[in-house]
Amino acid sequence: ALFSALILIPVIYLTDNIFYIIITFLTVHTLFNGIFLLKTLKKTQNQEIDDSAIPFGKHLSLINSIPSFVNHLDKVILWYFLGPVQVAIYSFSYNPISKIQTLFPIFQLALPKLGEKNIKDIKEQILEKTKKLFLLMIPIIIILYFLSSHFYQILFPEYLDSVIYFQAFLLLLLLVPFQVTDSALIVVLKKKQLYFSNIASSLLKLLLFLILIPLFNIWGAVLAIILANASKELINLYYFYKI
């Protein structure tokens, strides 16, 4: 990410041609991801082959592409109904939350650990860890809520209107602990269930965008994202209980 930024930022600074920016973005990410993939393969000690891994990995790529596509439609719909200024205010409220979520790589940490276990035998442990992480997020959210206006005054003084939406988006951090149960579904190869939860929540999000944004402007997008993401985690939690 650091190397990509060091190349991409000068390109954005030197040109306003969107074609060059997109090509640079795709090229540097492909290059550095490829380099680190090769380095990882050289360090791999386990030569055991799982024939189900590659086909399931392809399905995961498709499953994850569905919400990724829908996640970018919010800005298009906001632009259509409200114009570029509201899109900027919205982006400066939602994008910081997505970056904060990456500071809690629970999914990446849980997946290899759970892959070594029998999920049925440790279901109660997983639920207990999820509960503890959930409770841990509450004081973090409260602290960020009260500090957010100060951060925006320092970092984004031109977008103080974004603060109230950022504070609402903090509720998304309550869903971060449920990445543990999401990881468990992947470990036990629940392909159909993952398809359903991602497609259902993505369609719900799109429907809520179209209904709520014209009615409530930016607040409509905020509500749509929170409700759709919560529905996805509730569906996954239901499937986890059925493992």
Side-chain angles (χ1 to χ4, degrees), residues 59-159:
H59 282 287
L60 282 181
S61 296
L62 181 58
I63 289 168
N64 292 327
S65 69
I66 298 167
S68 296
F69 172 75
V70 174
N71 283 344
H72 291 289
L73 288 179
D74 53 354
K75 300 178 186 66
V76 176
I77 297 171
L78 275 171
W79 182 287
Y80 179 79
F81 285 110
L82 307 178
V85 175
Q86 297 299 305
V87 173
I89 293 172
Y90 166 79
S91 296
F92 273 85
S93 65
Y94 183 56
N95 288 348
I97 288 293
S98 63
K99 298 303 180 185
I100 291 172
Q101 287 175 315
T102 63
L103 298 177
F104 304 96
I106 293 174
F107 177 85
Q108 291 87 343
L109 294 173
L111 189 61
K113 295 293 184 181
L114 294 178
E116 300 171 351
K117 311 287 186 180
N118 186 316
I119 300 300
K120 290 183 179 181
D121 294 339
I122 60 168
K123 281 179 66 174
E124 293 300 322
Q125 296 178 36
I126 292 173
L127 290 172
E128 185 63 25
K129 290 181 183 298
T130 302
K131 179 182 177 181
K132 289 179 179 178
L133 288 169
F134 182 86
L135 294 174
L136 178 64
M137 296 307 298
I138 294 175
I140 293 174
I141 290 172
I142 293 172
I143 292 170
L144 288 174
Y145 179 89
F146 287 108
L147 293 179
S148 57
S149 59
H150 302 291
F151 285 146
Y152 271 79
Q153 288 172 1
I154 297 170
L155 299 175
F156 313 121
E158 296 180 358
Y159 291 94

Side-chain angles (χ1 to χ4, degrees), residues 9-17:
I9 290 173
V11 173
I12 295 174
Y13 180 78
L14 293 171
T15 180
D16 58 359
N17 188 312

Side-chain angles (χ1 to χ4, degrees), residues 59 62-63 66 191-200:
H59 282 287
L62 181 58
I63 289 168
I66 298 167
K191 180 176 64 179
K192 293 181 180 179
Q193 290 82 349
L194 290 168
Y195 265 115
F196 177 80
S197 66
N198 277 270
I199 292 174

